[in-house]
Structures are given as C-alpha cells and as structure tokens.
Amino acid sequence: MKTLKIYNIIASVMIVLLVIWVKKLQKDVSENETLLEQCSTRYYGELKKDGVF
C-alpha cells in the first residue's frame, strides 16, 4: 500500500511538471507566431514598396 502512495505522489509530480512544460511551450509558440507575423508583414511591405507586388 505504501508503494502505491509513492507511485501516486511521483505521478502527480510528473503531471504537474508536464503541465508547466506544455504551458511554456505554448508561450514559446505564441511568441514565435508573433515574430513570424511581424517578419512577414515587413517582408511583404518591402516587396510592395519595391514594386514586386
């Protein structure tokens, strides 16, 4: 019974760590999407300014 309790604690800690990791990844993805959007806006703005589009 004691080993079951230990496994339960370990599993709970792992779940919490995974949730924290996923939240951090979501934040990183969001920041990357914002950066890519800014880069594409600038890139296509330069192309329009040069008369390509």
Side-chain angles (χ1 to χ4, degrees), residues 3 12 26 29 48:
T3 57
S12 298
Q26 285 177 339
V29 167
K48 287 179 184 177

Side-chain angles (χ1 to χ4, degrees), residues 21-50:
W21 182 62
V22 166
K23 290 292 185 182
K24 184 184 178 324
L25 285 177
Q26 285 177 339
K27 181 183 174 201
D28 290 346
V29 167
S30 175
E31 289 173 357
N32 287 342
E33 286 177 347
T34 304
L35 182 61
L36 286 172
E37 182 66 34
Q38 290 173 356
C39 289
S40 67
T41 301
R42 177 182 281 174
Y43 176 74
Y44 287 116
E46 290 292 322
L47 288 179
K48 287 179 184 177
K49 190 168 71 173
D50 292 340

